[in-house]
Amino acid sequence: AAAEALARARVAATLSQYSTPRILEPLSDAYAAGRDRARARETLSRAMDLASPENAKLRERLAAKRVALGEL
């Protein structure tokens, strides 16, 4: 199930050209579920960079996930 989730998240991210934070978030979750914390953090960082400053809820959620992965 985790491998399938990762595969689907990668397809979605590719189709979005890795430019949509709401698509990168589940990709990061899939990496984390597969124990690839480095890629999960990297993907969250990209999502944070792309997230609109006006979208406070998304930015807060992404930041909380980064903290949970041990980054700050």
Side-chain angles (χ1 to χ4, degrees), residues 8-63:
R8 288 177 186 231
R10 281 184 176 154
V11 168
T14 299
L15 291 173
S16 75
Q17 298 179 333
Y18 291 81
S19 64
T20 306
R22 290 186 185 273
I23 291 176
L24 294 176
E25 183 180 11
L27 177 58
S28 175
D29 293 343
Y31 282 135
R35 304 203 192 289
D36 191 343
R37 295 170 64 89
R39 280 200 176 169
R41 283 191 301 268
E42 177 183 311
T43 304
L44 278 175
S45 292
R46 179 161 175 83
M48 285 287 294
D49 290 344
L50 294 168
S52 167
E54 293 82 30
N55 195 340
K57 277 189 171 183
L58 175 62
R59 294 181 66 79
E60 288 173 15
R61 189 172 64 240
L62 295 173

